[in-house]
Amino acid sequence: MEEAHIHPRPKKPMSLRIYEAHVGIGSPEPKIASYTNFTHNVLPRIKDLGYNCIQLMAIMEHAYYASFGYQITNFFAASSRYGTPDELKELIDVAHSMGIVVLLDVVHSHASKNTEDGLNGFDGSDSCFFHSPPRGEHSLWDSRLFNYAR
């Protein structure tokens, strides 16, 4: 596979103009959009509007799309629902070629409470990586909350 990283990260701007975006809803069509769609159709518009930074939301793997990326199932994988890791690398490289800094919205505070696809109940307890209930449960997001002391 050819290396997708061609353009260096832009220098830190004196003043950030951040465009917060969600790759999956970056299309007028009623479907989940892709990294490639975002690269070719959304990035040029962001650049033309004068932004010098994008913050990509819901970028980590999450099984439940309606959670908007706040029920993370894999903290070390980019969401596969938008395309491949190489397509994400291309998106970032193209943004860099336009002078746009890329921030990935990494959600460390929430995790999927589903015991089949995440860390919840990993060791058979309710608190291996999380606070015990009720502190370890976020009722509004229907997710688990980490115990950072561990």
Side-chain angles (χ1 to χ4, degrees):
M1 168 104 354
E2 190 174 314
E3 179 62 38
H5 176 77
I6 299 168
H7 300 93
R9 180 185 313 145
K11 291 182 180 176
K12 183 179 175 184
M14 295 294 288
S15 176
L16 282 176
R17 297 197 66 218
I18 302 172
Y19 188 97
E20 186 178 64
H22 187 289
V23 171
I25 60 174
S27 169
E29 299 174 34
K31 67 177 188 176
I32 297 174
S34 67
Y35 295 126
T36 301
N37 170 73
F38 195 92
T39 301
H40 297 292
N41 298 315
V42 181
L43 277 179
R45 292 175 32 207
I46 292 170
K47 176 67 176 171
D48 289 346
L49 289 170
Y51 290 91
N52 58 15
C53 181
I54 57 172
Q55 177 181 341
L56 296 178
M57 300 164 42
I59 206 69
M60 294 187 303
E61 193 63 77
H62 54 287
Y64 181 49
Y65 189 62
S67 77
F68 215 60
Y70 285 93
Q71 291 183 8
I72 303 306
T73 56
N74 190 321
F75 292 88
F76 304 102
S79 180
S80 59
R81 114 182 346 102
Y82 314 127
T84 68
D86 284 334
E87 290 166 336
L88 174 59
K89 286 169 51 176
E90 179 185 13
L91 183 162
I92 293 168
D93 189 56
V94 170
H96 287 173
S97 76
M98 297 176 169
I100 298 173
V101 174
V102 179
L103 304 175
L104 302 179
D105 188 16
V106 179
V107 180
H108 288 294
S109 58
H110 297 267
S112 172
K113 70 179 197 177
N114 186 343
T115 57
E116 299 298 317
D117 63 9
L119 293 172
N120 189 30
F122 184 75
D123 69 345
S125 76
D126 67 358
S127 59
C128 177
F129 295 105
F130 308 98
H131 292 285
S132 293
R135 183 178 178 190
E137 296 176 337
H138 195 293
S139 61
L140 294 176
W141 286 103
D142 198 29
S143 62
R144 295 300 313 268
L145 298 174
F146 279 101
N147 181 346
Y148 293 108
R150 297 198 175 145

